[in-house]
Amino acid sequence: MLPTRGIAADPRPPPVNWKTAPFTAALYDYAVQNRILSRVGARVLWGYDIDHLRDAIAAQDTSALTLDIPCGGGIAVDDNPRHIAADISPTMLKRARRRTKSLLQTDIYALPFGDATFDACLTYNGLHCLDDPATAIRELTRVLRPGGTLTGTTITRGSGRDPLITLLQHQGSFGTPGTVTDLHTWLETADLTDITLTPSGAVTAFTARK
């Protein structure tokens, strides 16, 4: 079993409605999992080539003990007991169960794992849904082993899609996305190194090492 630690429940409510809006979660996951819809949607909404995401997922090290949060409906998941898929949304976890049984409902701000547990952490398309991405990055860094990698994608401000980002914030789907510069600062402040940022439209892919 993975080492865990007792953590008091985070008193902050989720800033967005992914946990309590099953229809929104299911609709989003359906679109992401559908290759045609996801390709068109990513290009039209965000100017993003979603093949970059699929290539990153295909390049994962399946031997690494990996935490994938938020896992959504399991786009990055395979049936591998060393890949732990976690999310705050019961709907997303129910959909991810089609791909794996290694599932955990938890809050990214308060992960129930000891320090230096994982070889890798993945966070695809999740940071922009959070009210405090910097804190989430620090928590992901905490559970990484020295030499471990943090990999992910997030929507960032400053690429011409800011009005859409603001609309989705008002709707309750987005938290507090930052710019590419903000993302670099968050990673650097978490004491991560070898930071690589790769913008594509409004989406920035990132990797960093502990």
Side-chain angles (χ1 to χ4, degrees):
M1 293 182 63
L2 294 173
T4 61
R5 65 173 191 170
I7 300 178
D10 192 317
R12 294 170 297 180
V16 293
N17 61 12
W18 295 104
K19 184 177 182 181
T20 57
F23 177 76
T24 300
L27 182 63
Y28 169 81
D29 180 59
Y30 175 79
V32 168
Q33 300 282 359
N34 184 289
R35 285 189 172 269
I36 295 175
L37 287 177
S38 62
R39 183 184 299 276
V40 172
R43 179 67 70 182
V44 171
L45 293 176
W46 307 113
Y48 177 56
D49 182 355
I50 202 168
D51 283 345
H52 296 327
L53 173 61
R54 300 192 188 282
D55 289 345
I57 291 170
Q60 290 173 183
D61 180 358
T62 57
S63 68
L65 183 60
T66 300
L67 175 64
D68 175 3
I69 182 169
C71 67
I75 189 171
V77 172
D78 59 14
D79 191 15
N80 177 356
R82 294 185 65 77
H83 188 119
I84 309 302
D87 206 293
I88 200 169
S89 166
T91 300
M92 291 298 196
L93 291 173
K94 182 177 180 180
R95 297 178 71 85
R97 191 167 289 114
R98 298 168 299 179
R99 294 171 175 261
T100 183
K101 298 298 187 292
S102 301
L103 298 169
L104 176 69
Q105 184 176 2
T106 191
D107 189 330
I108 197 170
Y109 295 123
L111 298 172
F113 300 105
D115 296 351
T117 297
F118 292 94
D119 302 313
C121 288
L122 309 177
T123 181
Y124 290 123
N125 297 340
L127 292 182
H128 54 262
C129 295
L130 304 176
D131 193 43
D132 190 355
T135 296
I137 288 173
R138 289 196 298 271
E139 181 67 350
L140 289 168
T141 302
R142 180 187 67 77
V143 301
L144 270 178
R145 293 170 179 163
T149 57
L150 173 62
T151 302
T153 56
T154 184
I155 291 170
T156 48
R157 288 188 173 276
S159 65
R161 298 302 201 275
D162 287 9
L164 177 56
I165 290 172
T166 299
L167 175 64
L168 290 170
Q169 284 179 303
H170 290 318
Q171 184 189 59
S173 297
F174 274 25
T176 311
T179 63
V180 174
T181 300
D182 292 329
L183 177 59
H184 190 280
T185 299
W186 297 336
L187 295 166
E188 192 173 50
T189 302
D191 291 329
L192 293 166
T193 62
D194 298 334
I195 298 169
T196 301
L197 305 180
T198 309
S200 173
V203 178
T204 299
F206 58 91
T207 60
R209 187 176 301 277
K210 183 175 180 178

